[in-house]
Amino acid sequence: MHDPTPTEVLDAVGRLEAEQEIPEQMRADVRLLGSLLGQVLRESGSAGLFDDVERLRVATIHAYTDPSPEAFDRAVRIADSFSIQRADEVARAFTCYFHLVNLAEEHHRVRVLRERDGQPERDPRGTIAGAFAELAGEIGEDAARERLQALRFHPVFTAHPTEARRRAVSTSIRRLSALVDELGAAPEGGSAAQRTQRLMLEEIDTLWRTAPIRPEKPSPTDEVRAVMAVFDDTLFTAVPEMYRRVDDAIHAGVDGDRPPVVRPFVRVGSWVGGDRDGNPFVTAKVSRKAAAIASEHVLLGLERAAQRVGRGLTLDATSTPPSDELLALWERLRSADEDAAADIAKRSPNEPHRRILLLIARRITATRTRDADLAYRDPEHLLADLRIVQTSLADAGAARQAYGSLQHLIWQVETYGFHLAELEVRQHSAVHAKVLAELDAGGPRSELAEEVLEVFRAIAFIQERFGPRAAGRYIVSFTQSADDLANVHRLARYAVGDAGPAPVLDVIPLFETFADLQAAPRILAEIVEHPEFASRLDATGRRLEVMLGYSDSSKDVGPVAANLALYEAQAAIAAWAQENRIELTLFHGRGGALGRGGGPANSAILAQPPHSVDGRFKLTEQGEVIFARYGDPDIAMRHIDQVAAAILTAGAPSNEDRNRTAAERYADIAQVMETTSRARFFDLVKAPGFAPWFATVTPMEEIGLLALGSRPARRGLSVESLEDLRAIPWVFAWTQARINLAGWFGLGTALESVGDEERLRAAYAEWPLFRTMIDNVAMSLAKADDRIARQYLALGDRDDLAALVMDEMALTRSWVVRIVGGDGLLANKPVLQRAVKLRSPYVDALSLLQLRALRALRETPAGGNADPEQQRLLLLSVSGVAAGLQNTG
């Protein structure tokens, strides 16, 4: 065994860079950021740190390009040779590097989006405007316009513990991103560029010196404030800008002087501060506080927007005469706020529209500060005033002012109201049953019972203070019968007693396990006959939401069987809703990781059964996905555009026919895949001793030590069976071990059982559900690594289970490549393939550091105390691998 020569190393690095085919601008950004990090490491005061980082970096790159055991063993030796302190520093250095690479990649995406802005899309379904044109060609423009105006995209932000970065780290990265923008705009070599690079160096030094892992878990209130940052920085302005872009595209050639065609189609929901399933820290008090924080943020945003629009409406009454209705509104506003009105009139002589907008801004302020004399009672009263101004402007010939910035403000009120995000409550059906049994028996109420009842009082309070849209959706986890849903209304009656009316509730079943998904139509047929449900259906125009759980169904029967079961459940529920004249919204409990229903949302939408979308799509957005999709305004707008386009296209007759025909044509393949993949999954997870073996060969137990979120990682004190473990750490642990088993296990056996390669290739071309499944598995396997996976599996004394995992991985990879074609995974997705190759060797370095820490911890004698330095190294590496793979749970 010999160390590689410098020439061999350079050749390895060159081959890797050639394979990556990184665009030159992105390559320049990565090199600049990497060189600045290198300077920070040299100046860190830790002698030899930069050289050690380079040794491991070069070794893992060489091992990545050279499949020989010698190259891999050399990288292992280097990782194991570091002192624990040096290993800690090296792990932090690689983690910083990933944050910088992710930043560069995001910056390049934004650059490309800006360059494409206004250019025709190659895929006509890639934008709402393109999807509208395509749909109009199928069903006519009037019908397409009706569907566009009924469109609804409803992301629901959740606080699941899947964001491994500290908020301080995210904030530092955002500051650095702004500096990269500045550098791109500055003349090369000038003083402005030099100043910006100096600030970038300072920010990277700050990032390096910032502790990468949280010292303690965030509280639910902390989680609320973290999500608010996305709203403040991005969503408040990006969503109306998205509406404007779509309207401009559909109104091609019009100069902004017509009423908009687009109606606000985004609704934001939140489980942050409302999801109490298994989280004792989310209380009724927390829910009230979460609603108050969200309202504060949106009202402050509306207040500033109204002031900005008002200051710009310097239209003279002579050129733009006010309507009688506007003059009457002025009198009403003036009499309620005389001193301010006099001051504003003095500063805005003969500018009636400006005067009123500035008084409206004051009323929004009063709403925020709870000044009862001036506050708006609800968003509808604010909208009524804004529309009076808009109509007056339009009637006076100032159409561009009527439908310009003022329209943005109206869209913001329509989208966010006074509540910003609709707070949703979730609780486990077993908790409801337990509390009801206690209440029915009489006697003193337990602390649990009091808290459960207080939640309903909190919902009533939130609805009264912030409007009925602010809260009211109540999700019942593990719904297994109609009684589980009816119990919510019984509890609400217990909560309010004779004190007043119960809160308005939309009770939503969450079907999670394989058996529950199959039973869903029967349960729904029973519950809609329940008096409270029937009454609510009548009040809402027969609207009903049903939530589908991706995480637990995948952990229950494996990813392949779960995907197929979810499709069948959606088809059955949609058919039932059609028969019963119910306007169905399916709520998809999708995670960021592939084992939890993750992957590109737009392709998943287009693969849904007929009538299961019908212009409405609701899903959970979790952890790192929130910041990846909504953290940057350009990326957020592109994401919303793509998803909304897919929602519109999903209901096109051609798309529904494609899915229906393919599902029928390949039903026999689906049946074979479901049966054989489930059996293979059970061979693994139902093997004696599987759960403790899983906890040994992955950092599952240690993940629970990370201060990622307020929610506990498991339901019990230890993991004795798979049922004890929540779906998020189940996925997270396999990801950290570079196996990603939750995203693909069982597919290879399923495809082998079908055996007909030609027919499977045809299915990939013609069956959207199958294509999405194969593509997601390809991505999952591309992020896995055989050699590192074997190192993790070797930590457990179960060669049989290790062989089962590795054999299935090899079989699945072989079949996926044969079906898709090309010379390897992701050959048909070069951009994604490049992103994976860019990171993989560096992730390998962190995985090797994690493995050395995990081995040391596994060697701790029973009953002994784990070495805190090894635990810290492991947790640092977990954070780094999550950043490198851009996946947690």
Side-chain angles (χ1 to χ4, degrees):
M1 185 185 302
H2 72 281
D3 289 347
T5 66
T7 301
E8 289 173 328
V9 171
L10 288 173
D11 286 345
V13 174
R15 285 198 305 275
L16 183 65
E17 289 192 344
E19 288 174 2
Q20 290 167 355
E21 297 179 350
I22 302 173
E24 187 50 46
Q25 289 175 304
M26 181 178 165
R27 186 192 301 274
D29 287 341
V30 171
R31 284 179 172 168
L32 173 61
L33 292 167
S35 68
L36 294 177
L37 175 60
Q39 184 175 341
V40 166
L41 296 180
R42 289 190 189 94
E43 297 170 354
S44 67
S46 182
L49 172 59
F50 176 79
D51 293 335
D52 283 341
V53 170
E54 279 297 286
R55 278 201 304 137
L56 185 57
R57 183 183 80 90
V58 167
T60 51
I61 288 176
H62 188 244
Y64 186 75
T65 57
D66 180 354
S68 69
E70 291 79 11
F72 183 76
D73 289 345
R74 179 174 181 271
V76 172
R77 290 201 315 275
I78 292 173
D80 289 348
S81 70
F82 298 141
S83 68
I84 190 67
Q85 291 79 14
R86 179 46 52 88
D88 181 302
E89 292 174 322
V90 172
R92 286 174 54 207
F94 275 98
T95 301
C96 278
Y97 175 77
F98 281 129
H99 291 319
L100 299 180
V101 170
N102 292 343
L103 185 158
E105 189 173 62
E106 180 181 288
H107 185 70
H108 185 68
R109 286 178 63 198
V110 171
R111 181 189 292 125
V112 170
L113 289 173
R114 289 173 180 170
E115 289 172 353
R116 288 179 182 171
D117 190 27
Q119 301 300 314
E121 290 282 337
R122 283 170 292 185
D123 181 356
R125 297 184 302 185
T127 65
I128 303 177
F132 174 79
E134 186 179 75
L135 185 62
E138 291 194 39
I139 65 174
E141 187 160 335
D142 290 343
R145 185 165 301 198
E146 283 183 18
R147 293 197 185 184
L148 174 66
Q149 293 180 334
L151 183 71
R152 181 72 80 242
F153 172 46
H154 196 152
V156 179
F157 295 159
T158 78
H160 286 292
T162 60
E163 172 57 90
R165 293 184 308 193
R166 290 182 61 202
R167 188 176 175 188
V169 171
S170 298
T171 303
S172 179
I173 292 168
R174 284 289 160 221
R175 291 194 299 263
L176 189 55
S177 179
L179 290 171
V180 174
D181 260 339
E182 286 182 26
L183 184 64
E188 190 173 350
S191 59
Q194 291 175 355
R195 172 188 168 277
T196 304
Q197 285 203 36
R198 177 181 59 77
L199 292 173
M200 289 171 65
L201 189 60
E202 178 184 340
E203 196 60 63
I204 292 172
D205 192 38
T206 298
L207 182 63
W208 161 252
R209 294 173 186 276
T210 300
I213 53 179
R214 298 180 182 94
E216 57 186 28
K217 283 180 174 288
S219 70
T221 305
D222 293 332
E223 293 169 332
V224 172
R225 295 192 188 281
V227 171
M228 289 302 102
V230 174
F231 171 78
D232 292 342
D233 296 343
T234 302
L235 287 179
F236 186 67
T237 53
V239 168
E241 180 61 33
M242 180 71 249
Y243 298 154
R244 174 65 67 195
R245 290 189 182 188
V246 175
D247 204 67
D248 285 348
I250 292 173
H251 265 157
V254 177
D255 296 326
D257 59 353
R258 291 186 190 177
V261 174
V262 172
R263 293 176 185 167
F265 57 81
V266 175
R267 291 292 182 271
V268 179
S270 177
W271 282 11
V272 189
D275 182 9
R276 59 226 333 114
D277 179 9
N279 191 343
F281 306 110
V282 176
T283 62
K285 183 178 179 181
V286 166
S287 296
R288 290 183 189 223
K289 192 168 185 179
I293 291 171
S295 179
E296 169 78 13
H297 278 257
V298 73
L299 286 170
L300 191 58
L302 293 174
E303 173 189 329
R304 291 169 176 166
Q307 289 172 345
R308 185 173 59 254
V309 174
R311 285 193 295 267
L313 283 177
T314 54
L315 289 71
D316 189 83
T318 305
S319 65
T320 315
S323 67
D324 290 342
E325 199 174 7
L326 189 89
L327 293 174
L329 175 59
W330 165 253
E331 289 302 322
R332 290 198 303 273
L333 295 176
R334 184 183 62 78
S335 63
D337 197 5
E338 290 184 353
D339 290 344
D343 181 60
I344 289 172
K346 185 177 180 180
R347 290 186 287 112
S348 308
N350 213 33
E351 296 168 348
H353 297 91
R354 184 175 192 266
R355 293 177 180 183
I356 284 184
L357 251 297
L358 294 176
L359 280 180
I360 285 173
R362 281 183 53 80
R363 289 198 68 185
I364 298 172
T365 303
T367 307
R368 179 173 59 84
T369 58
R370 304 189 68 193
D371 179 349
D373 291 337
L374 285 179
Y376 279 107
R377 187 169 63 197
D378 52 45
E380 285 66 36
H381 283 78
L382 169 58
L383 282 169
D385 286 356
L386 292 174
R387 288 190 175 114
I388 288 173
V389 179
Q390 187 175 57
T391 301
S392 177
L393 287 167
D395 290 348
R400 290 191 177 86
Q401 287 74 22
Y403 305 119
S405 298
L406 178 58
Q407 181 61 49
H408 278 232
L409 175 58
I410 290 171
W411 275 330
Q412 286 166 325
V413 179
E414 289 175 322
T415 299
Y416 300 116
F418 290 168
H419 59 279
L420 193 163
E422 300 173 20
L423 185 66
E424 301 189 354
V425 170
R426 182 171 72 135
Q427 182 57 281
H428 199 291
S429 60
V431 172
H432 295 153
K434 180 179 180 180
V435 170
L436 272 173
E438 178 186 325
L439 295 173
D440 290 343
R445 292 177 178 177
S446 67
E447 186 177 339
L448 173 64
E450 288 291 357
E451 174 58 33
V452 166
L453 296 179
E454 187 59 30
V455 169
F456 293 95
R457 301 180 193 117
I459 294 171
F461 169 82
I462 292 167
Q463 289 180 348
E464 174 66 24
R465 181 169 169 187
F466 305 114
R469 275 179 55 196
R473 286 184 171 87
Y474 197 111
I475 296 103
V476 181
S477 297
F478 284 91
T479 297
Q480 297 181 322
S481 70
D483 286 344
D484 288 335
L485 302 173
N487 285 346
V488 176
H489 291 289
R490 288 190 60 205
L491 286 165
R493 289 197 298 273
Y494 264 115
V496 298
D498 299 326
V504 177
L505 295 173
D506 289 304
V507 183
I508 301 170
L510 170 49
F511 299 112
E512 300 183 76
T513 68
F514 183 73
D516 295 342
L517 288 168
Q518 292 184 314
R522 173 184 56 78
I523 295 170
L524 292 171
E526 290 178 23
I527 196 59
V528 294
E529 300 299 324
H530 191 274
E532 278 95 349
F533 263 82
S535 174
R536 187 62 185 150
L537 278 176
D538 291 340
T540 60
R542 297 188 67 76
R543 295 190 184 119
L544 181 68
E545 271 189 32
V546 176
M547 186 172 181
L548 305 169
Y550 286 67
S551 308
D552 281 283
S553 59
S554 180
K555 187 166 69 75
D556 188 29
V557 293
V560 178
N563 266 285
L564 295 169
L566 282 159
Y567 184 92
E568 291 300 320
Q570 289 178 72
I573 293 169
W576 168 82
Q578 287 279 109
E579 291 169 9
N580 290 275
R581 298 178 296 105
I582 286 173
E583 184 180 297
L584 174 71
T585 298
L586 287 174
F587 181 8
H588 301 262
R590 295 161 58 89
L594 300 172
R596 305 187 57 241
N602 51 329
S603 60
I605 293 167
L606 293 172
Q608 303 305 306
H611 298 296
S612 64
V613 177
D614 273 353
R616 300 172 297 279
F617 190 71
K618 184 177 179 182
L619 81 166
T620 51
E621 300 279 35
Q622 302 178 1
E624 79 278 356
V625 171
I626 294 174
F627 295 94
R629 290 177 176 167
Y630 304 98
D632 177 271
D634 291 280
I635 292 174
M637 284 190 283
R638 177 56 174 160
H639 171 67
I640 294 170
D641 198 10
Q642 285 182 315
V643 171
I647 296 169
L648 206 56
T649 302
S654 60
N655 191 71
E656 292 196 334
D657 288 346
R658 183 184 304 115
N659 285 324
R660 182 186 298 107
T661 301
E664 292 170 355
R665 179 178 299 147
Y666 298 108
D668 57 328
I669 287 181
Q671 182 60 51
V672 171
M673 289 177 62
E674 189 275 321
T675 303
T676 55
S677 69
R678 182 156 45 124
R680 183 65 163 173
F681 185 73
F682 287 168
D683 286 343
L684 178 67
V685 301
K686 293 186 181 298
F690 169 79
W693 175 79
F694 163 65
T696 300
V697 302
T698 70
M700 189 279 297
E701 293 282 357
E702 288 74 17
I703 286 170
L705 301 174
L706 270 175
L708 296 183
S710 65
R711 191 181 185 198
R714 57 187 181 226
R715 295 185 171 90
L717 295 176
S718 63
V719 178
E720 298 299 332
S721 70
L722 203 55
E723 288 71 29
D724 296 326
L725 188 67
R726 295 191 181 281
I728 294 168
W730 161 255
V731 175
F732 199 165
W734 285 120
T735 302
Q736 287 288 316
R738 306 292 300 284
I739 299 171
N740 290 338
L741 179 143
W744 55 262
F745 192 87
L747 179 63
T749 294
L751 298 173
E752 184 78 12
S753 297
V754 174
D756 188 336
E757 184 175 331
E758 184 176 343
R759 192 151 180 250
L760 288 170
R761 283 175 180 259
Y764 182 74
E766 300 169 3
W767 184 14
L769 176 68
F770 183 73
R771 185 183 187 92
T772 299
M773 185 189 302
I774 294 294
D775 286 347
N776 284 344
V777 166
M779 192 192 320
S780 188
L781 286 172
K783 292 183 178 183
D785 186 279
D786 285 16
R787 292 184 293 184
I788 289 176
R790 288 192 181 90
Q791 299 282 318
Y792 279 93
L793 295 175
L795 295 170
D797 189 20
R798 290 292 299 272
D799 292 345
D800 57 331
L801 297 182
L804 188 60
V805 170
M806 296 309 299
D807 289 349
E808 187 67 20
M809 182 188 283
L811 185 63
T812 305
R813 181 183 288 111
S814 170
W815 269 106
V816 167
V817 171
R818 287 155 65 188
I819 289 169
V820 176
D823 58 357
L825 294 167
L826 302 179
N828 62 332
K829 296 184 181 296
V831 174
L832 187 57
Q833 187 183 57
R834 181 189 72 214
V836 172
K837 287 183 175 182
L838 176 65
R839 291 171 170 79
S840 289
Y842 301 92
V843 179
D844 292 351
L846 281 163
S847 293
L848 295 179
L849 293 171
Q850 185 178 114
L851 273 163
R852 66 168 272 179
L854 202 54
R855 287 192 198 99
L857 292 170
R858 294 292 177 266
E859 290 168 3
T860 304
N865 294 323
D867 183 339
E869 291 186 319
Q870 297 290 354
Q871 279 187 335
R872 173 178 166 78
L873 173 58
L874 187 135
L875 298 181
L876 285 169
S877 67
V878 165
S879 175
V881 170
L885 295 176
Q886 295 183 299
N887 270 126
T888 51

